[in-house]
Short mmCIF file of all heavy atoms in Angstrom, two decimals:
data_model
loop_
_atom_site.label_atom_id
_atom_site.label_comp_id
_atom_site.label_asym_id
_atom_site.label_seq_id
_atom_site.Cartn_x
_atom_site.Cartn_y
_atom_site.Cartn_z
N LEU C 304 128.86 82.01 64.99
CA LEU C 304 127.85 82.02 66.06
C LEU C 304 128.02 80.71 66.83
O LEU C 304 127.80 79.62 66.29
CB LEU C 304 126.45 82.07 65.44
CG LEU C 304 125.32 81.92 66.48
CD1 LEU C 304 125.33 83.07 67.46
CD2 LEU C 304 123.97 81.81 65.78
N MET C 305 128.45 80.84 68.09
CA MET C 305 128.82 79.65 68.84
C MET C 305 127.66 79.08 69.63
O MET C 305 127.58 77.88 69.84
CB MET C 305 129.98 79.98 69.75
CG MET C 305 130.58 78.78 70.52
SD MET C 305 131.24 77.49 69.43
CE MET C 305 132.94 78.06 69.19
N GLU C 306 126.78 79.96 70.12
CA GLU C 306 125.65 79.48 70.91
C GLU C 306 124.43 80.36 70.64
O GLU C 306 124.58 81.59 70.53
CB GLU C 306 125.91 79.53 72.43
CG GLU C 306 126.98 78.60 72.93
CD GLU C 306 127.10 78.65 74.47
OE1 GLU C 306 126.16 79.14 75.16
OE2 GLU C 306 128.14 78.25 74.99
N GLN C 307 123.28 79.73 70.52
CA GLN C 307 122.01 80.45 70.62
C GLN C 307 121.00 79.44 71.16
O GLN C 307 121.22 78.24 71.14
CB GLN C 307 121.57 80.99 69.23
CG GLN C 307 121.22 79.92 68.22
CD GLN C 307 120.69 80.50 66.91
OE1 GLN C 307 120.30 81.64 66.83
NE2 GLN C 307 120.67 79.65 65.88
N ALA C 308 119.91 79.96 71.68
CA ALA C 308 118.94 79.09 72.32
C ALA C 308 117.90 78.64 71.29
O ALA C 308 117.14 79.46 70.75
CB ALA C 308 118.25 79.82 73.46
N PRO C 309 117.81 77.34 71.05
CA PRO C 309 116.77 76.90 70.12
C PRO C 309 115.38 76.96 70.70
O PRO C 309 114.40 77.00 69.97
CB PRO C 309 117.18 75.44 69.81
CG PRO C 309 118.07 75.03 70.93
CD PRO C 309 118.70 76.23 71.47
N VAL C 310 115.30 76.99 72.04
CA VAL C 310 113.98 76.96 72.67
C VAL C 310 113.84 78.16 73.61
O VAL C 310 113.19 79.14 73.33
CB VAL C 310 113.77 75.64 73.44
CG1 VAL C 310 112.35 75.56 74.00
CG2 VAL C 310 114.04 74.43 72.52
N ALA C 311 114.45 78.07 74.79
CA ALA C 311 114.36 79.13 75.78
C ALA C 311 115.58 79.09 76.69
O ALA C 311 116.19 78.05 76.87
CB ALA C 311 113.10 78.97 76.64
N THR C 312 115.94 80.26 77.20
CA THR C 312 117.01 80.35 78.17
C THR C 312 116.43 80.13 79.58
O THR C 312 115.23 79.83 79.69
CB THR C 312 117.64 81.75 78.14
OG1 THR C 312 116.61 82.70 78.35
CG2 THR C 312 118.28 82.01 76.80
N THR C 313 117.24 80.26 80.59
CA THR C 313 116.74 80.08 81.98
C THR C 313 117.18 81.17 82.92
O THR C 313 116.61 81.30 84.01
CB THR C 313 117.27 78.77 82.58
OG1 THR C 313 118.67 78.70 82.39
CG2 THR C 313 116.62 77.57 81.92
N CYS C 314 118.14 81.99 82.55
CA CYS C 314 118.78 82.83 83.57
C CYS C 314 118.07 84.14 83.84
O CYS C 314 118.48 84.92 84.67
CB CYS C 314 120.23 83.10 83.20
SG CYS C 314 120.38 83.95 81.67
N ARG C 315 117.00 84.41 83.09
CA ARG C 315 116.28 85.67 83.27
C ARG C 315 115.05 85.45 84.16
O ARG C 315 114.64 84.32 84.37
CB ARG C 315 115.86 86.25 81.92
CG ARG C 315 117.01 86.21 80.92
CD ARG C 315 117.47 87.58 80.50
NE ARG C 315 118.80 87.53 79.87
CZ ARG C 315 119.03 87.32 78.56
NH1 ARG C 315 118.01 87.17 77.72
NH2 ARG C 315 120.26 87.29 78.09
N ASP C 316 114.44 86.53 84.57
CA ASP C 316 113.20 86.43 85.35
C ASP C 316 112.11 85.75 84.53
O ASP C 316 111.32 84.96 85.05
CB ASP C 316 112.70 87.82 85.72
CG ASP C 316 113.45 88.41 86.89
OD1 ASP C 316 114.41 87.77 87.34
OD2 ASP C 316 113.06 89.50 87.34
N VAL C 317 112.06 86.12 83.28
CA VAL C 317 111.07 85.54 82.38
C VAL C 317 111.84 85.06 81.14
O VAL C 317 112.63 85.80 80.59
CB VAL C 317 110.00 86.57 81.98
CG1 VAL C 317 109.03 85.98 80.95
CG2 VAL C 317 109.25 87.07 83.20
N ASN C 318 111.59 83.82 80.77
CA ASN C 318 112.36 83.20 79.68
C ASN C 318 111.43 82.63 78.64
O ASN C 318 111.03 81.46 78.69
CB ASN C 318 113.21 82.06 80.27
CG ASN C 318 114.17 82.55 81.35
OD1 ASN C 318 115.27 83.03 81.07
ND2 ASN C 318 113.76 82.42 82.61
N PRO C 319 111.00 83.48 77.69
CA PRO C 319 110.04 83.00 76.70
C PRO C 319 110.68 81.98 75.74
O PRO C 319 111.89 82.02 75.47
CB PRO C 319 109.65 84.26 75.94
CG PRO C 319 110.30 85.41 76.62
CD PRO C 319 111.38 84.87 77.47
N THR C 320 109.82 81.12 75.23
CA THR C 320 110.23 80.14 74.22
C THR C 320 110.18 80.84 72.83
O THR C 320 109.33 81.69 72.59
CB THR C 320 109.29 78.96 74.28
OG1 THR C 320 109.64 78.15 75.39
CG2 THR C 320 109.31 78.12 73.01
N ARG C 321 111.13 80.46 71.96
CA ARG C 321 111.13 81.00 70.59
C ARG C 321 109.84 80.49 69.87
O ARG C 321 109.68 79.30 69.72
CB ARG C 321 112.30 80.51 69.80
CG ARG C 321 113.65 80.66 70.44
CD ARG C 321 114.23 82.01 70.25
NE ARG C 321 115.41 82.16 71.12
CZ ARG C 321 115.41 82.76 72.29
NH1 ARG C 321 114.31 83.31 72.78
NH2 ARG C 321 116.52 82.87 73.01
N PRO C 322 109.00 81.39 69.39
CA PRO C 322 107.84 80.95 68.59
C PRO C 322 108.32 80.32 67.25
O PRO C 322 109.46 80.42 66.90
CB PRO C 322 107.08 82.25 68.34
CG PRO C 322 107.56 83.21 69.37
CD PRO C 322 108.98 82.84 69.63
N PRO C 323 107.40 79.66 66.57
CA PRO C 323 107.75 79.03 65.29
C PRO C 323 108.41 80.01 64.34
O PRO C 323 107.97 81.14 64.20
CB PRO C 323 106.40 78.53 64.75
CG PRO C 323 105.55 78.37 65.96
CD PRO C 323 106.00 79.43 66.93
N GLY C 324 109.45 79.55 63.70
CA GLY C 324 110.09 80.36 62.66
C GLY C 324 111.21 81.25 63.19
O GLY C 324 112.05 81.70 62.39
N VAL C 325 111.22 81.52 64.44
CA VAL C 325 112.22 82.47 64.97
C VAL C 325 113.62 81.87 64.90
O VAL C 325 114.57 82.55 64.52
CB VAL C 325 111.87 82.89 66.42
CG1 VAL C 325 112.99 83.64 67.03
CG2 VAL C 325 110.58 83.72 66.38
N LEU C 326 113.73 80.60 65.24
CA LEU C 326 115.03 79.96 65.22
C LEU C 326 115.65 80.04 63.79
O LEU C 326 116.82 80.36 63.61
CB LEU C 326 114.90 78.50 65.63
CG LEU C 326 116.17 77.66 65.51
CD1 LEU C 326 117.25 78.15 66.47
CD2 LEU C 326 115.83 76.18 65.82
N ARG C 327 114.79 79.81 62.79
CA ARG C 327 115.30 79.89 61.41
C ARG C 327 115.73 81.32 61.08
O ARG C 327 116.81 81.56 60.54
CB ARG C 327 114.19 79.45 60.47
CG ARG C 327 114.51 79.71 58.99
CD ARG C 327 113.35 79.28 58.09
NE ARG C 327 113.69 79.39 56.67
CZ ARG C 327 113.31 80.42 55.88
NH1 ARG C 327 112.55 81.39 56.39
NH2 ARG C 327 113.64 80.41 54.61
N ARG C 328 114.87 82.28 61.42
CA ARG C 328 115.17 83.64 60.99
C ARG C 328 116.41 84.17 61.71
O ARG C 328 117.26 84.81 61.11
CB ARG C 328 113.95 84.54 61.30
CG ARG C 328 114.11 85.92 60.66
CD ARG C 328 112.83 86.71 60.73
NE ARG C 328 112.56 87.20 62.05
CZ ARG C 328 111.63 86.71 62.87
NH1 ARG C 328 110.84 85.71 62.49
NH2 ARG C 328 111.45 87.22 64.08
N TRP C 329 116.51 83.85 63.00
CA TRP C 329 117.70 84.34 63.73
C TRP C 329 118.98 83.62 63.23
O TRP C 329 120.03 84.22 63.25
CB TRP C 329 117.51 84.10 65.22
CG TRP C 329 116.47 85.05 65.81
CD1 TRP C 329 115.65 85.90 65.13
CD2 TRP C 329 116.19 85.27 67.21
NE1 TRP C 329 114.86 86.60 66.02
CE2 TRP C 329 115.17 86.24 67.29
CE3 TRP C 329 116.68 84.70 68.39
CZ2 TRP C 329 114.63 86.67 68.50
CZ3 TRP C 329 116.15 85.14 69.60
CH2 TRP C 329 115.13 86.11 69.64
N SER C 330 118.83 82.37 62.80
CA SER C 330 119.98 81.67 62.26
C SER C 330 120.42 82.30 60.94
O SER C 330 121.61 82.50 60.70
CB SER C 330 119.66 80.17 62.06
OG SER C 330 119.34 79.57 63.30
N LEU C 331 119.44 82.62 60.12
CA LEU C 331 119.77 83.27 58.83
C LEU C 331 120.32 84.67 59.08
O LEU C 331 121.18 85.16 58.34
CB LEU C 331 118.56 83.31 57.92
CG LEU C 331 118.03 81.92 57.46
CD1 LEU C 331 116.76 82.08 56.64
CD2 LEU C 331 119.09 81.18 56.68
N GLN C 332 119.83 85.32 60.13
CA GLN C 332 120.39 86.66 60.44
C GLN C 332 121.88 86.53 60.78
O GLN C 332 122.67 87.37 60.42
CB GLN C 332 119.65 87.29 61.64
CG GLN C 332 120.19 88.71 61.88
CD GLN C 332 119.75 89.30 63.23
OE1 GLN C 332 119.58 88.55 64.19
NE2 GLN C 332 119.58 90.60 63.28
N ALA C 333 122.24 85.46 61.51
CA ALA C 333 123.64 85.29 61.83
C ALA C 333 124.44 85.19 60.55
O ALA C 333 125.52 85.82 60.42
CB ALA C 333 123.84 84.01 62.68
N LEU C 334 123.95 84.44 59.58
CA LEU C 334 124.67 84.36 58.31
C LEU C 334 124.70 85.74 57.63
O LEU C 334 125.70 86.16 57.07
CB LEU C 334 123.98 83.34 57.40
CG LEU C 334 123.91 81.91 57.96
CD1 LEU C 334 123.21 80.99 56.97
CD2 LEU C 334 125.29 81.38 58.31
#
Side-chain angles (χ1 to χ4, degrees):
Chain C
L304 174 64
M305 186 61 88
E306 294 184 18
Q307 66 175 345
V310 185
T312 57
T313 51
C314 62
R315 312 245 163 88
D316 282 4
V317 176
N318 302 276
T320 283
R321 311 275 171 263
V325 170
L326 174 64
R327 172 182 185 259
R328 191 169 72 254
W329 289 8
S330 298
L331 295 177
Q332 185 194 31
L334 301 180

